[in-house]
């Protein structure tokens, strides 16, 4: 825990090692002489090796602490002990490595000897971190390590594989350390063997997790080597190994699903780290960018019109955050991955926080040139068009439907980002036709409102909308306006107060009011269409359901009246409406004609309802 404490115990530690090694060597003849390695003897050998390893690790830790603290008194002793322990091991233990099992040993004893050899290898590699041990001895241990990675010591039985995995996991951390010392003739062989182990290990296993951690530790030394000499053959081998690992990550995430969240988080952290490294290393850019196509199944795919959500939606938020952050580091985000992410945003299971985080990350990627403007806007339109609110609510506001509130907030954010793009006329050219083509399809009230808000955001006064767009809007905005006032009645009831209703009505009507202010022709077309709507509703064929027919006609009259009354109350629209007094008079005339013509069968109450609408309309014309 302290440098002084280490300085004190090192004197005792250095005397223990020779004793422990001699005790271990006393067991070696028994390994070859006995038909079976007796359990207590094996346990004692394991304990001795573990004790030696702990001492070696303690010295390593103390030496690191000395280097961090110049005032420490343990440094000189550690340096002397470094030489002593290396010499002791070289003379007594390492020349006997590996401990080879003889033919008559059982499978269980073979596993035990493999366990012993792995601990000896751990001790060797730990010592090799302090000082360069003889090359011939290093060759022996590296060959053993390679064979262990390739599974040559692994028995085909389940228990044999478990022992092999448990032991090998402890050595994987030495590969990054070996690599950090620079490339050598063994670099390629070890990386190939490691890659095979990584590919063949089971998703979610301890081995797979250890491999992913080792890859993360190898990124820094590999990145350093690649930045020095890209034409070096050894560097090409490093690139091949790194490419093989990077390609495996998306498939691994899909295989893990949501069953191994801890392992998924480690993989996602590695993916993010690779993305961050790719910003500074051109060799990594292409490798990393190509993984986005393999990630489609991780987010969402659509096959035959059926949406299939991947593991992303079901992972913990921290893992989702790692995944989203990694998106930013793609040098470009292609349309397929953008569509996949957009589909995730439309899921009712996605936390609203994550939804807005996705939008934020995509905006950062667009702002830094990673997404084409047309693809970026396509995502916006997809979100506002296909985001579903609760069907039983119809309109938002009175019942505080959370999905509808989410759509409203999302539209506000998207419109804000659109306004930040700079050239509104260019943005309008991109989105105009797509948005206008959706209006006749009669999306829900909330989705239509969001589309109109986007259109208004990038339009100007006077309008830049094309003549064809104005005509299409003129044919369909009247229906939208009437639906809005019908879903949100003006008179108070148990669902909400008049002030809340007025605010909600204003939200849905405001985009149209902006359009009317910018284009008087559009207002004229909508007013004419409202007059026609009253006539068409009264001319519907009379059948046994004449009561419903009458109700529908009255609802249409009340809706037109409410829309005109709200338009008249708007300070900007009121003077514009005076320009179209003839069209308003036409609406009034049609309501009066409906009252007196007898085209619909009405009760006293219903006739009174028509009369009230007529009186309200007359106020508009004075």
């Amino acid at each position: 825990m302290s440098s002084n404490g280490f300085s004190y115990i090192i004197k005792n530690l250095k005397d223990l090692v020779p004793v422990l090694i001699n005790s271990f060597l006393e067991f070696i003849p028994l390994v070859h002489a006995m038909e079976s390695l007796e359990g207590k003897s094996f346990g004692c050998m394991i304990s001795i090796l573990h004790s030696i390893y702990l001492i070696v690790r303690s010295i390593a830790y103390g030496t690191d602490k000395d280097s961090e603290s110049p005032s420490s008194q343990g440094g000189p002793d550690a340096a002397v002990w470094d030489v002593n322990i290396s010499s002791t091991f070289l003379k007594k233990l390492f020349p006997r490595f590996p401990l080879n099992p003889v033919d008559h040993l059982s499978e269980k004893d073979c596993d035990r000897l493999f366990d012993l050899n792995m601990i000896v290898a751990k001790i060797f590699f730990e010592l090799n971190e302090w000082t360069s041990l003889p090359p011939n001895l290093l060759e022996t241990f590296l060959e053993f390590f390679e064979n262990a990675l390739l599974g040559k010591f692994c028995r085909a039985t389940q228990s044999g594989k478990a022992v092999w995995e448990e032991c090998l996991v402890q050595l994987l951390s030495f590969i990054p350390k070996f690599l950090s010392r620079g490339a050598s003739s063994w670099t390629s062989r070890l990386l190939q063997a490691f890659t095979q182990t990584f590919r063949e290990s089971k998703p979610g296993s301890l081995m797979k997790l250890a491999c992913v951690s080792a890859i993360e530790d190898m990124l820094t030394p590999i990145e350093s080597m690649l930045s020095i000499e890209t034409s070096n053959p050894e560097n090409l081998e490093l690139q091949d190994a790194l490419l093989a690992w990077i390609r495996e990550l998306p498939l691994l995430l899909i295989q893990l699903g949501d069953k191994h969240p801890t392992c998924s988080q480690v993989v996602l952290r590695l993916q993010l780290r690779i993305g961050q490294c790719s910003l500074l290393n051109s060799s990594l850019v292409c490798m990393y960018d190509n993984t986005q196509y393999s990630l489609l199944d991780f987010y969402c795919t659509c096959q035959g019109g059926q949406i299939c959500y991947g593991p992303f939606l079901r992972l913990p938020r921290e893992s989702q955050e790692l995944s989203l952050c990694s998106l930013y580091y793609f040098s470009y985000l292609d349309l397929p991955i953008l569509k996949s992410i957009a589909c995730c945003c439309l899921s009712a299971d996605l936390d609203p926080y994550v939804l807005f985080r996705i939008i934020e990350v995509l905006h950062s990627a667009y702002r830094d040139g990673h997404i084409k403007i047309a693809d970026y806007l396509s995502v916006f339109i997809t979100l506002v068009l296909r985001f579903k609110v609760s069907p039983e609510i119809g309109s938002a506001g009175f019942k505080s439907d959370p999905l509808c509130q989410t759509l409203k907030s999302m539209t506000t954010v998207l419109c804000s980002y659109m306004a930040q793009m700079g050239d509104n006329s260019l943005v309008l050219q991109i989105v105009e036709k797509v948005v206008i083509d959706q209006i006749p399809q009669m999306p829900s009230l909330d989705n239509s409102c969001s589309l109109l808000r986007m259109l208004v955001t990038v339009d100007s006064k006077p309008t830049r909308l094309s003549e064809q767009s104005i005509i299409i809007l003129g044919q369909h905005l009247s229906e939208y306006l009437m639906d809005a006032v019908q879903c949100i009645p003006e008179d108070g009831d148990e669902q909400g107060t008049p002030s809340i209703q007025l605010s909600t009505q204003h939200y849905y009507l405001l985009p149209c009011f902006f359009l009317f202010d910018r284009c008087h022709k559009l207002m004229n077309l909508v007013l004419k269409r409202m007059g026609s709507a009253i006539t068409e509703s009264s001319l519907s064929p009379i059948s046994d359901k004449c009561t419903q027919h009458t109700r529908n006609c009255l609802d249409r009259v009340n809706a037109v009246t409410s829309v005109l009354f709200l338009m008249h109350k708007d300070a900007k629209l009121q003077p514009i409406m005076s320009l179209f007094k003839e069209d308003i008079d036409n609406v009034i005339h049609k309501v009066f004609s409906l009252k007196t013509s007898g085209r619909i069968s009405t009760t006293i109450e219903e006739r009174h309802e028509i009369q009230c609408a007529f009186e309200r309309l007359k106020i508009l014309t004075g």
Side-chain angles (χ1 to χ4, degrees), residues 198-486:
F198 175 51
R199 282 174 171 164
E200 295 179 355
S201 55
K202 293 182 179 180
S205 66
L206 185 62
M207 177 66 77
K208 186 71 81 175
L209 192 60
C211 286
V212 173
S213 297
I215 292 173
E216 184 171 5
D217 293 336
M218 282 188 274
L219 281 181
T220 299
I222 289 179
E223 187 182 8
S224 300
M225 293 180 200
L226 292 179
S227 63
I228 298 173
E229 295 181 45
T230 56
S231 60
N232 190 315
E234 292 168 344
N235 281 2
L236 295 178
E237 293 173 349
L238 288 175
Q239 287 185 7
D240 290 342
L242 190 55
L243 177 59
W245 303 337
I246 292 175
R247 283 175 174 171
E248 289 290 317
L249 296 184
L251 177 61
L252 177 55
L253 285 171
I254 295 166
Q255 291 173 335
L256 290 171
D258 58 343
K259 305 301 182 185
H260 306 278
T262 301
C263 193
S264 293
Q265 185 170 324
V266 174
V267 175
L268 288 166
R269 187 179 294 113
L270 172 60
Q271 181 176 272
L272 174 58
R273 176 83 188 284
I274 293 172
Q276 292 168 335
C277 291
S278 70
L279 286 181
L280 305 174
N281 194 311
S282 59
S283 301
L284 290 176
V285 174
C286 186
M287 298 184 198
Y288 186 67
D289 281 346
N290 287 335
T291 62
Q292 64 180 284
Y293 303 104
S294 303
L295 284 170
L296 299 182
D297 288 336
F298 174 70
Y299 291 104
C300 181
T301 56
C302 185
Q303 299 175 347
Q306 183 176 3
I307 296 178
C308 301
Y309 292 109
F312 172 79
L313 279 178
R314 302 184 296 275
L315 289 175
R317 182 181 290 184
E318 185 175 354
S319 295
Q320 291 176 328
E321 175 67 19
L322 289 170
S323 172
L324 296 179
C325 288
S326 69
L327 292 174
Y328 170 81
Y329 294 98
F330 289 110
S331 66
Y332 71 94
L333 282 168
D334 214 349
L335 192 56
I337 189 68
L338 292 174
K339 287 182 176 179
S340 180
I341 296 166
C343 283
C344 285
C345 294
L346 300 175
S347 171
D349 296 328
L350 185 68
D351 189 308
Y353 171 85
V354 180
L355 167 64
F356 287 101
R357 188 73 181 101
I358 290 174
I359 295 172
E360 180 183 6
V361 170
L362 292 181
H363 181 66
S364 297
Y366 164 76
R367 186 184 56 209
D368 293 340
H370 302 172
I371 305 177
K372 296 177 181 177
I373 185 171
D375 294 343
Y376 185 48
L377 292 170
S378 174
V379 172
F380 281 14
I381 294 173
T382 298
L383 293 182
V384 301
L385 177 64
R386 295 175 54 192
F387 192 92
K388 295 186 181 299
V389 299
S390 299
E392 67 274 9
I393 301 296
S395 68
F398 303 144
K399 294 188 179 179
S400 300
D401 172 34
L403 289 177
C404 190
Q405 296 301 327
T406 299
L407 176 57
K408 284 184 177 182
S409 301
M410 179 178 69
T411 305
T412 299
V413 172
L414 296 180
C415 289
S416 171
Y417 286 160
M418 290 177 71
Q420 296 173 28
M421 290 183 177
D423 190 346
N424 284 347
S425 61
L426 173 62
V427 178
L428 181 62
Q429 287 178 29
I430 296 173
V431 303
E432 179 180 353
K433 186 177 187 309
V434 181
V435 172
I436 296 297
D437 286 348
Q438 294 301 323
I439 299 299
Q441 307 302 320
M442 301 295 291
S444 75
L445 183 66
D446 296 280
N447 299 112
S448 295
C449 181
S450 293
L451 287 171
L452 292 172
R453 287 179 64 188
M454 291 177 64
L455 203 61
V456 167
T457 298
V458 293
D459 192 20
S460 62
K461 183 178 181 179
T463 185
R464 288 194 291 255
L465 294 175
S466 67
E467 188 71 19
Q468 183 180 5
S469 296
I470 293 171
I471 292 172
I472 293 174
L473 288 173
Q475 293 172 345
H476 298 281
L477 282 189
S478 58
E479 290 295 331
Y480 167 82
L481 290 167
M482 288 186 284
D483 285 345
V485 295
Q486 282 182 298

Side-chain angles (χ1 to χ4, degrees), residues 461 481 490 502-503 505-518 520 523 561-579 584 616 620:
K461 183 178 181 179
L481 290 167
E490 289 180 276
L502 184 60
S503 173
Q505 285 179 333
H506 192 254
Y507 170 81
Y508 287 98
L509 271 54
L510 190 59
C512 296
F513 288 2
F514 272 111
L515 291 172
F516 294 159
D517 180 44
R518 297 170 181 180
H520 298 174
M523 177 189 279
T561 303
S562 296
V563 171
L564 293 178
F565 204 79
L566 290 168
M567 289 173 61
H568 186 262
K569 290 171 64 176
D570 186 271
K572 287 187 176 182
L573 295 190
Q574 190 177 98
I576 303 173
M577 290 182 71
S578 63
L579 301 176
I584 297 174
R616 290 184 70 192
L620 303 182

Side-chain angles (χ1 to χ4, degrees), residues 62-241:
T63 303
D64 290 340
K65 294 295 286 185
D66 289 338
S67 64
E68 295 172 8
S69 177
S71 62
S72 169
Q73 300 176 2
D77 287 331
V80 173
W81 202 81
D82 179 3
V83 176
N84 290 340
I85 190 172
S86 299
S87 176
T88 303
F89 274 94
L90 289 173
K91 290 178 181 178
K92 295 188 175 183
L93 181 58
F94 291 157
R96 299 175 181 272
F97 182 84
L99 302 173
N100 294 315
V102 294
D103 294 338
H104 60 264
L105 287 181
S106 65
E107 291 182 348
K108 184 176 183 181
D109 288 334
C110 288
D111 290 339
R112 286 174 170 177
L113 284 176
F114 178 62
D115 198 357
L116 293 173
N117 282 326
M118 293 297 275
I119 302 176
V120 174
K122 278 171 54 180
I123 296 171
F124 173 84
F125 287 119
E126 192 66 55
L127 279 174
N128 196 51
E129 291 297 303
W130 305 354
T131 183
S132 296
L133 297 176
N136 61 326
L137 196 56
L138 180 60
E139 288 275 334
T140 301
F141 277 89
L142 289 175
E143 184 177 2
F144 171 82
F145 195 1
E146 179 189 31
N147 289 332
L149 286 167
L150 294 174
K152 293 183 178 180
F153 304 126
C154 176
R155 292 186 294 106
T157 62
Q158 187 172 355
S159 60
K161 290 181 179 179
V163 171
W164 170 78
E165 181 171 315
E166 182 180 354
C167 295
L168 186 58
V169 161
Q170 302 175 48
L171 281 186
L172 290 182
S173 61
F174 289 103
I175 297 181
K177 295 177 181 179
F178 174 76
L179 201 61
S180 65
R181 304 184 113 185
S184 73
S185 58
W186 271 95
T187 301
S188 175
R189 292 173 61 176
L190 276 182
L191 291 181
Q192 287 180 19
F194 170 81
T195 301
Q196 178 176 318
T197 300
F198 175 51
R199 282 174 171 164
E200 295 179 355
S201 55
K202 293 182 179 180
S205 66
L206 185 62
M207 177 66 77
K208 186 71 81 175
L209 192 60
C211 286
V212 173
S213 297
I215 292 173
E216 184 171 5
D217 293 336
M218 282 188 274
L219 281 181
T220 299
I222 289 179
E223 187 182 8
S224 300
M225 293 180 200
L226 292 179
S227 63
I228 298 173
E229 295 181 45
T230 56
S231 60
N232 190 315
E234 292 168 344
N235 281 2
L236 295 178
E237 293 173 349
L238 288 175
Q239 287 185 7
D240 290 342

